[in-house]
Amino acid sequence: MGQFVTGEAARARVRALLDQVDVAQCGMRELSWDEVGNAFRVEMAERLETQERVNRGLMYRVFGQIADPPDEAGAAPVLVDRLRARLRIPAREVKRRIKVAAKILPRRQLTGPPLPPLLPRSADAVAAGNLGEDHLKAITATIDKLPSCTSDTDRAEVEATLVRESATNDADFVTELGKGIDNVFNPDGHYDEQDRARRRGLVLGPQGPDGMSKLTGWVDPENRAYIEASTAAARPGRHLPDGSIEETRDERSMPQRCHDGIKLALKLGIASGKMGSHRGHPVTVIARTTLAELNQAAHAVSDPGVSMPPPARTGGNTALPMRDLIRMAADAIHYLAVFDEHTGRPLYLGRQTRIATADQRIICYARDGGCTRPNCLEPGYHSEVHHSPDWHPDGRTDSDALFFACGPDHAAVTEGRMHTTVTEHGRLAWTDGTTQPQINRAHHPDEMLRGDPDPPPVVDG
């Protein structure tokens, strides 16, 4: 890697090179390829693929230096926030690229020379354009699965083997090779506690159009024991899907009884009241709907001629069909925020202490749905309560001055990197000082479908 004498010279040189790339790509787009022949198109595809891989390596270099800038101090959080908005990529993709960059870029020390990358051979191959994104994913997955007792020498040998084979094979081959290497280093499937703790995890997939969600992952032996016991409770004829407990015949499969057993255990665990509190109120299910929809659903249950209204929304922004909501409310204690659909305004609870009450958090669930920063998808369960105007010196803890903000975005306001203002429609608008204040409609898809313009912001008083 070359080094520039001054920052200005470096910026000028990089801009000039990027301009050359833009010019070359523009020329390629405007050129007709109709007569070049397929043999040459294959050659073109190989060149373009290599260039894309080299470009991806440069992108990782940029992301790594943004996360740990060698030339600035304290600027990383600001730049990471702007990356998400400027590149129009999700926050998880920003974090993924930073995580990958940390493995294939030299590591800096407070003193002394830089340390080599965690995956030095992969780093060289990425820089040369020999590894695609799928190759790199297969290599890191294999390295991460090696038992914790694997020596540094063996890890280096495994990496070298995978990188070498990636030069002549596709990522599927490298993935299968990784499985074979895993069997060599772990033929008995033996893992110590550290390995199990590293692998454990469940991923709740996105909710489908039918309301169903896919759950995948790995559970440790203790968790499995609990699941087995819960599944046994949902044996044929007992703990039916509707919550009833009857000695009767049913046609559920074993996977279906496992599902119902886990649901039963979670339901009883929440109903026990022994799970403590979460951000000021007991751990429980929170749902939001309108009074009109709740009334319509109550009639629809008993009258087939009445249509069922749209689903309620939980604090995790999950669609909860009204039939399920009514059934859940009948035999368990949940927070239900019934919201006026006409005014869209929260209840005025008066000045309290600085800490938002549980009822005030419910208002935030109902009005905001989740973090109010534009384009942020964090649901209410993962959000904190933000004061606008600020609590100090003259803010209020009334429900119309409290709004949801996830932890990182709340910190961005506290540190002055973002600024908020309340619109005349009672919504929170955000700006970094370079754009007009905007509100977040990610938790209000109905507004986006209607094409509602952003309510005009007003200055806090």
Side-chain angles (χ1 to χ4, degrees):
M1 295 183 183
Q3 294 184 348
F4 297 98
V5 177
T6 66
E8 184 58 38
R11 287 189 289 271
R13 179 59 176 156
V14 170
R15 288 193 182 103
L17 292 173
L18 290 174
D19 289 342
Q20 292 177 25
V21 173
D22 290 340
V23 170
Q25 290 178 337
C26 183
M28 293 279 285
R29 288 196 301 269
E30 295 175 351
L31 182 66
S32 173
W33 305 342
D34 295 345
E35 306 300 328
V36 300
N38 272 348
F40 184 72
R41 291 188 183 98
V42 171
E43 179 183 339
M44 288 176 58
E46 182 182 19
R47 292 283 300 275
L48 290 171
E49 182 69 22
T50 300
Q51 290 171 358
E52 181 179 357
R53 293 174 179 179
V54 171
N55 190 71
R56 180 52 56 124
L58 294 173
M59 179 68 78
Y60 281 130
R61 181 178 170 188
V62 171
F63 271 73
Q65 291 190 341
I66 287 176
D68 185 18
D71 54 344
E72 300 177 28
V78 179
L79 296 178
V80 170
D81 287 343
R82 291 182 179 175
L83 270 176
R84 179 177 61 176
R86 190 155 182 172
L87 274 62
R88 302 185 302 281
I89 59 178
R92 64 177 182 276
E93 175 63 13
V94 175
K95 296 176 183 178
R96 187 196 69 81
R97 293 185 188 182
I98 290 176
K99 184 177 180 180
V100 172
K103 295 181 178 181
I104 62 175
L105 293 178
R107 294 165 290 165
R108 294 194 302 116
Q109 303 183 88
L110 293 177
T111 59
L115 297 174
L118 292 173
L119 301 177
R121 293 167 181 81
S122 300
D124 293 340
V126 169
N130 294 331
L131 287 187
E133 194 73 55
D134 290 340
H135 286 111
L136 188 58
K137 182 178 179 180
I139 292 173
T140 55
T142 300
I143 298 294
D144 290 342
K145 286 179 63 178
L146 291 175
S148 57
C149 59
T150 305
S151 67
D152 292 341
T153 301
D154 286 339
R155 288 180 182 274
E157 183 177 346
V158 169
E159 185 198 1
T161 300
L162 295 172
V163 171
R164 182 179 66 247
E165 295 303 319
S166 295
T168 55
N169 295 283
D170 61 30
D172 288 344
F173 178 89
V174 178
T175 298
E176 290 301 316
L177 176 60
K179 294 178 181 178
I181 290 175
D182 180 51
N183 291 331
V184 170
F185 281 89
N186 192 23
D188 302 324
H190 173 71
Y191 286 90
D192 59 24
E193 292 298 330
Q194 182 179 352
D195 293 321
R196 279 198 291 265
R198 183 179 58 186
R199 295 187 65 200
R200 78 187 189 283
L202 294 173
V203 178
L204 183 61
Q207 192 175 25
D210 60 354
M212 302 295 283
S213 305
K214 186 175 182 179
L215 182 68
T216 58
W218 298 92
V219 297
D220 60 22
E222 180 183 355
N223 201 340
R224 180 185 174 90
Y226 296 144
I227 293 176
E228 288 174 338
S230 300
T231 302
R235 62 187 184 274
R238 290 184 60 82
H239 298 301
L240 302 180
D242 62 0
S244 61
I245 301 178
E246 300 179 10
E247 293 292 348
T248 184
R249 179 180 178 81
D250 72 67
E251 303 297 331
R252 288 178 296 176
S253 65
M254 189 60 189
Q256 289 172 330
R257 289 201 298 273
C258 182
H259 168 276
D260 295 346
I262 294 175
K263 183 169 71 172
L264 171 67
L266 293 173
K267 177 180 177 180
L268 294 178
I270 290 177
S272 70
K274 296 182 178 180
M275 296 187 70
S277 63
H278 174 72
R279 301 190 186 279
H281 57 71
V283 174
T284 187
V285 176
I286 294 176
R288 55 191 172 103
T289 185
T290 68
L291 183 60
E293 289 172 344
L294 193 62
N295 182 61
Q296 180 182 344
H299 285 83
V301 170
S302 57
D303 185 354
V306 178
S307 62
M308 189 63 68
R313 285 282 170 176
T314 70
N317 204 30
T318 290
L320 183 64
M322 296 299 288
R323 290 183 184 276
D324 295 302
L325 175 62
I326 292 174
R327 184 176 64 249
M328 293 169 63
D331 59 2
I333 299 175
H334 303 287
Y335 280 110
L336 177 62
V338 181
F339 210 46
D340 188 338
E341 74 277 13
H342 298 296
T343 66
R345 301 289 295 192
L347 297 176
Y348 187 86
L349 299 181
R351 183 176 176 83
Q352 306 290 332
T353 62
R354 177 172 184 174
I355 304 300
T357 67
D359 288 340
Q360 289 170 322
R361 283 192 62 86
I362 301 304
I363 294 300
C364 291
Y365 279 111
R367 180 196 57 223
D368 302 333
C371 180
T372 53
R373 176 174 174 174
N375 300 319
C376 184
L377 302 179
E378 289 294 343
Y381 285 155
H382 300 165
S383 298
E384 302 170 354
V385 173
H386 164 63
H387 289 73
S388 187
D390 292 339
W391 168 258
H392 182 77
D394 56 357
R396 299 170 293 113
T397 307
D398 298 326
S399 58
D400 58 356
L402 302 174
F403 302 87
F404 269 158
C406 67
D409 290 339
H410 200 182
V413 177
T414 302
E415 296 167 4
R417 294 183 279 114
M418 295 293 295
H419 308 281
T420 61
T421 182
V422 181
T423 71
E424 64 181 20
H425 289 73
R427 302 282 286 277
L428 193 66
W430 295 63
T431 178
D432 62 0
T434 64
T435 61
Q436 289 294 319
Q438 297 178 328
I439 66 173
N440 188 5
R441 297 197 182 278
H443 307 291
H444 302 275
D446 55 319
E447 296 177 353
M448 290 189 286
L449 286 174
R450 294 195 305 264
D452 289 353
D454 287 352
V458 296
V459 178
D460 291 335

